Amino acid sequence: MVGEDEGALVRPGAGASGGAVPGGAATGSAAGRDRCLDLLRAVALVRIVAYHTFGGALFSVVFPAMGIMFALAGSLMAASLQRPAGSVLRSRSRRLLVPLWVYSTTVLTLFVFGGWVPGEQGTGPWFRVLLWFVPLADPPYPGELGDGTGPLDPSWPVQAGEILWYIRAYLWFVLLSPLLLRLYRSRPWPIFLAPLGLLLLLEPGAVPLPDPVSAVLTDLAVYGSCWILGFAHRDGRLRRLPRRFVLVAGPVVMALGLWWALAHPTEQGLDLNGIPVGQALWSVGFCAVLLRFSPRWQVLPRPLRFLDGAVTLLNRRAVTVYLWHNLMIALTVPLMEPVYAVDALWKSVPWLLGTSWPDFLLAWALLSGVLLAVGWAEDVAARRRPRPWPTGSRRGAGGGRTG
């Protein structure tokens, strides 16, 4: 999700350790960007915003965006680790944390002006507020702010804070990747399957753990195999698996995930985001097929060329889009109320106002303003020249300092 060298390819045959890769897999950063990976990341971000706008379990099944994001990030982290691990960890952490600090400072300021005092409302010791800036565990936030008479729903702090689970999991994966990659190279299959085994231990509560520790381990277990699958994609091991094997094994694993979900439905039905084992199996099976058969594009195919600028923008501003989208969706509610109050509109376009499409489009309009206002933080974090709206050429998207 972060890093300007994301989606990059190197000369054929250059492996993660600098040696030859069987099968001549392109794996690093010298020959340009893999625009297919860029496109997948952009689609995943749009799907995440759509899920939080429209709701519904169907989104988690049709396109398991979080699993895809972790798989892509694992692939790109393996490519980065061709360089010394210390410099990679500093670079990746910086690119994640700087835009997070901009977001967290803004949100915490709004909390304080809303009357929240860290350490109150059952949020634990005041110093846990530091987790907003170094997200090694879930940060504290009030369950409600306000008396319900303001423009925003009092539960908006939950929407602002709950999405940070992904940032927390991503940071842990980054920090663990040097070790995970070394273990993967020595024992690929056991390391690939280990997160699923851990999840089966955690799911029934067989291992009693404090809630903060359980939350971290559960997310790592759900998406760990997707991250390791990214390693396999990067070093060419996934590409070397027989097509027939992947076309059989992938859907079988997905079917197991769906079977588990049917046997363990939540209040939201088959929403896989609330069914960890189902999510893990469905995501890893889906990602295995997707990455095994994904093409490598240095430029988007001509029918998709019109998306080039949007794909570049979403990749350059991925962290900002993710962090701010929930708040922008919350803002659509008071902003759309005057529109919904116009009887003439209900008479002319009831088919539109009766859906969430206006909220979805308005959320993206608001996000555009956020990107213009604070998106530059991602350029600063990547040590690039700040650009207000980076939709330039492919060379502009892939150039700059690699670190």
Side-chain angles (χ1 to χ4, degrees):
M1 182 173 178
V2 294
E4 70 173 343
D5 56 347
E6 289 186 346
L9 297 171
V10 287
R11 61 193 182 279
S17 62
V21 174
T27 58
S29 61
R33 297 180 63 87
D34 186 340
R35 295 298 275 171
C36 183
L37 298 190
D38 287 346
L39 178 63
L40 288 174
R41 188 183 297 103
V43 172
L45 282 169
V46 173
R47 204 287 279 160
I48 290 168
V49 178
Y51 170 80
H52 287 130
T53 306
F54 293 93
L58 184 62
F59 284 104
S60 67
V61 175
V62 172
F63 196 77
M66 303 315 301
I68 292 168
M69 294 282 277
F70 282 116
L72 295 176
S75 175
L76 300 165
M77 188 66 187
S80 294
L81 283 170
Q82 296 176 74
R83 307 191 301 276
S87 66
V88 172
L89 294 183
R90 288 193 298 272
S91 173
R92 292 282 166 168
S93 298
R94 183 180 66 247
R95 293 173 182 177
L96 182 69
L97 294 178
V98 170
L100 172 66
W101 293 342
V102 173
Y103 174 78
S104 297
T105 300
T106 305
V107 169
L108 288 173
T109 300
L110 294 174
F111 284 177
V112 172
F113 274 104
W116 182 59
V117 177
E120 293 186 354
Q121 297 190 24
T123 56
W126 67 267
F127 54 80
R128 290 189 68 244
V129 76
L130 295 175
L131 293 172
W132 279 89
F133 300 93
V134 185
L136 297 176
D138 289 328
Y141 48 83
E144 291 187 348
L145 274 183
D147 55 8
T149 60
L152 288 177
D153 186 277
S155 66
W156 73 267
V158 176
Q159 299 177 62
E162 65 183 359
I163 62 166
L164 295 188
W165 75 266
Y166 172 74
I167 305 297
R168 180 201 67 209
Y170 190 101
L171 180 60
W172 273 111
F173 277 127
V174 166
L175 296 176
L176 292 172
S177 278
L179 175 61
L180 289 176
L181 187 57
R182 182 178 302 177
L183 294 173
Y184 160 78
R185 287 170 178 164
S186 61
R187 295 289 187 273
W189 281 105
I191 297 304
F192 170 70
L193 296 173
L196 297 174
L198 173 61
L199 183 59
L200 292 176
L201 286 177
L202 294 172
E203 179 69 9
V207 182
L209 295 169
D211 288 343
V213 176
S214 178
V216 170
L217 289 180
T218 297
D219 290 335
L220 295 181
V222 169
Y223 296 106
S225 291
C226 290
W227 190 273
I228 302 299
L229 189 67
F231 292 172
H233 171 263
R234 180 57 55 172
D235 72 5
R237 195 181 302 269
L238 178 60
R239 186 76 64 174
R240 295 194 300 274
L241 289 177
R243 291 172 175 261
R244 185 175 300 177
F245 173 78
V246 177
L247 282 175
V248 172
V252 166
V253 173
M254 292 169 66
L256 287 173
L258 193 58
W259 168 78
W260 182 279
L262 289 169
H264 302 81
T266 66
E267 294 181 358
Q268 289 73 40
L270 295 181
D271 189 337
L272 296 179
N273 292 300
I275 310 173
V277 175
Q279 175 76 285
L281 293 172
W282 182 268
S283 294
V284 76
F286 191 102
C287 290
V289 176
L290 182 68
L291 294 182
R292 172 61 179 84
F293 294 98
S294 63
R296 294 189 180 98
W297 297 329
Q298 290 197 8
V299 296
L300 292 177
R302 189 171 298 277
L304 300 176
R305 202 74 53 82
F306 72 99
L307 296 172
D308 196 73
V311 169
T312 298
L313 177 66
L314 287 174
N315 276 267
R316 279 295 185 94
R317 298 292 183 259
V319 180
T320 303
V321 169
Y322 179 82
L323 284 171
W324 290 86
H325 79 276
N326 242 17
L327 276 183
M328 297 306 102
I329 293 171
L331 273 176
T332 64
V333 176
L335 291 175
M336 288 299 296
E337 281 184 358
V339 176
Y340 291 134
V342 178
D343 291 336
L345 289 176
W346 280 104
K347 293 177 181 178
S348 58
V349 287
W351 51 269
L352 179 61
L353 296 185
T355 71
S356 294
W357 277 104
D359 306 275
F360 179 70
L361 297 175
L362 179 57
W364 280 106
L366 295 172
L367 274 171
S368 298
V370 170
L371 297 187
L372 288 170
V374 300
W376 51 265
E378 296 203 51
D379 291 330
V380 171
R383 296 180 176 174
R384 296 188 298 252
R385 177 174 60 85
R387 299 174 62 191
W389 197 257
T391 59
S393 66
R394 185 172 60 86
R395 176 176 295 180
R401 182 184 186 279
T402 299

